[in-house]
Amino acid sequence: MYRGLEKRKLGNTGNGVTFIGFGALEIGRDWGLGNDAERSRPDEQSACIVLNGVLDLGINLIDTARAYHKSEERIGKCISSRRAEYFLASKCGEHSDEPGTYYDFSYKAVKDSIDYSLKMLKTDCIDLMQIHFGPNPQKVLDDGETVAAMKDAQREGKIRFLGASAGGDIARQCIKSGDFDVMQMEYNLINRSDEKLIELCGQKGIGVLIRGGLAAGRLTSRVIPHLSEDISDKQEIMRLLALVDNDGDKLAAMALAFLYSNPNISSVILGSKNLDHVRRNFDLLEQGIDQNLLARL
């Protein structure tokens, strides 16, 4: 069995999720490293092929958001008939207003957003609803309206577990509050600032989903044509590439192995609009990395 299909405990939720989960941003919203064609979202038929292919591979975690424009709608249209096959995570607080988004963390806006997500996803219950924090996350926590709306939706049977997508001090507050079953944090070889918080989640039985595990393509072979540009973390990326003889695939394999070695990580959310790229992530993780190299990292 692929390492990426290894099921890990999602904290104390009682659910097991595949180490590699699917991030449904790119099937609903323009995103990514590359030219305009690479960044544009696929049409509905192509999105359906990817979503069904993801489930056929054995991935059982799909992560989306109200802010991902057509993502929830496409999940509902394409794979709601296979609802029993996947743990479904979405987010609230940031709302779609295509081509942009807006923030509204009021009680009514969040309750209405959850209801709309249920409609688009064509499901009676969303497994995990996460706060999609905006520019003033402390106010969101202090006001308490978003958490209150989520808890009421949970009591109504519309969502099963509560989560938050955050890092730093906001994540620490969420972890210590006792309100959240799962945290989603950015963590990768060039951003380890929340490493202690991931460990804290493990101690408290809180599931951990990782976003940005490949740093939006900067820890893959896709970064190599952009190294002549002024991209963020360029020096660190070049240092990591030097460790793997400037092989972009080995860089990605190293980045995935680094995450796989952390027992407190439940799942790494990796998204793509190309099913071959999804399969490639499994192959890269299978390559493995010398343990001495991991120790050096």
Side-chain angles (χ1 to χ4, degrees), residues 6-7 30 56 62 94 101 141 145 163 167 223 225 231 252 271 274 281 292 295:
E6 172 190 304
K7 287 188 179 178
D30 297 342
D56 291 342
I62 294 181
E94 183 179 0
T101 63
L141 291 183
E145 290 192 33
V223 77
I231 59 173
N274 186 320
N281 288 330
N292 291 328

Side-chain angles (χ1 to χ4, degrees), residues 1 8 39-40 86 108 153 178 187 243 245 251 269 271 273:
M1 182 182 74
R8 296 189 172 190
R39 291 171 58 89
S40 62
Y86 55 95
K108 184 179 186 304
Y187 181 64
L243 293 176
D245 301 320
L251 174 66
I269 306 300
K273 60 182 181 179

Side-chain angles (χ1 to χ4, degrees), residues 3 55 97 104 106 140 153 169 188 219 226 230 233-234 248 254 275:
R3 294 181 185 181
L55 296 183
D97 186 21
D104 189 339
S106 66
V140 174
D169 185 59
N188 55 56
L219 290 172
H226 300 275
D230 186 22
D233 301 301
K234 180 176 177 178
M254 180 170 63
L275 193 55

Side-chain angles (χ1 to χ4, degrees):
M1 182 182 74
Y2 279 115
R3 294 181 185 181
L5 293 178
E6 172 190 304
K7 287 188 179 178
R8 296 189 172 190
K9 288 174 56 179
L10 186 61
N12 291 333
T13 67
N15 292 92
V17 291
T18 49
F19 175 73
I20 291 181
F22 181 72
L25 184 150
E26 289 187 47
I27 63 159
R29 180 177 180 178
D30 297 342
W31 197 258
L33 177 70
N35 57 40
D36 290 342
E38 291 171 330
R39 291 171 58 89
S40 62
R41 70 179 169 215
D43 58 30
E44 186 174 297
Q45 182 180 6
S46 299
C48 283
I49 290 172
V50 172
L51 286 165
N52 279 283
V54 162
L55 296 183
D56 291 342
L57 283 171
I59 293 174
N60 78 339
L61 169 63
I62 294 181
D63 178 76
T64 183
R66 184 83 290 279
Y68 294 173
H69 300 322
K70 291 185 178 294
S71 178
E72 289 184 328
E73 177 184 349
R74 288 176 167 182
I75 290 169
K77 286 182 177 180
C78 299
I79 57 172
S80 59
S81 62
R82 304 177 66 174
R83 181 66 183 88
E85 297 180 43
Y86 55 95
F87 185 95
L88 178 59
S90 192
K91 307 180 192 73
C92 60
E94 183 179 0
H95 308 259
S96 174
D97 186 21
E98 198 161 13
T101 63
Y102 67 95
Y103 296 101
D104 189 339
F105 296 95
S106 66
Y107 180 92
K108 184 179 186 304
V110 172
K111 278 300 292 300
D112 288 348
S113 175
I114 291 171
D115 286 342
Y116 192 77
S117 290
L118 288 166
K119 180 181 177 181
M120 290 295 99
L121 291 162
K122 295 186 178 180
T123 186
D124 295 327
C125 182
I126 296 167
D127 295 305
L128 173 65
M129 182 56 64
Q130 305 157 95
I131 302 179
H132 213 168
F133 284 108
N136 194 347
Q138 188 64 59
K139 185 176 187 301
V140 174
L141 291 183
D142 291 344
D143 288 348
E145 290 192 33
T146 300
V147 173
M150 293 166 72
K151 286 184 175 180
D152 282 350
Q154 184 181 44
R155 280 190 284 269
E156 294 163 6
K158 295 177 179 179
I159 60 178
R160 296 175 62 209
F161 304 108
L162 273 60
S165 180
D169 185 59
I170 294 299
R172 186 178 298 277
Q173 291 181 57
C174 290
I175 293 166
K176 292 186 174 182
S177 71
D179 290 329
F180 299 96
D181 306 288
V182 178
M183 292 297 301
Q184 184 169 156
M185 290 180 272
E186 180 177 345
Y187 181 64
N188 55 56
L189 276 175
I190 52 179
N191 179 6
R192 308 184 201 179
S193 59
D194 289 332
E195 194 161 74
K196 293 296 184 182
L197 295 180
I198 292 172
E199 183 179 350
L200 183 60
C201 284
Q203 294 169 1
K204 290 184 172 291
I206 296 173
V208 176
L209 305 181
I210 296 300
R211 54 183 164 85
L214 294 176
R218 287 177 292 134
L219 290 172
T220 73
S221 59
R222 293 168 60 195
V223 77
I224 292 176
H226 300 275
L227 289 176
S228 59
E229 304 167 13
D230 186 22
I231 59 173
S232 60
D233 301 301
K234 180 176 177 178
Q235 294 305 314
E236 181 66 7
I237 292 168
M238 294 180 70
R239 184 186 73 82
L240 292 169
L241 273 169
L243 293 176
V244 290
D245 301 320
N246 294 310
D247 186 319
D249 283 345
K250 287 184 179 179
L251 174 66
M254 180 170 63
L256 290 171
F258 169 73
L259 298 171
Y260 183 81
S261 67
N262 190 325
N264 295 312
I265 292 175
S266 306
S267 183
V268 178
I269 306 300
L270 300 174
S272 180
K273 60 182 181 179
N274 186 320
L275 193 55
D276 287 338
H277 292 168
V278 178
R279 296 190 187 100
R280 183 62 176 155
N281 288 330
F282 282 91
D283 293 336
L284 290 170
L285 181 56
E286 286 304 299
Q287 287 185 15
I289 291 294
D290 181 85
Q291 291 302 308
N292 291 328
L293 178 56
L294 284 178
R296 287 175 60 194
L297 289 170

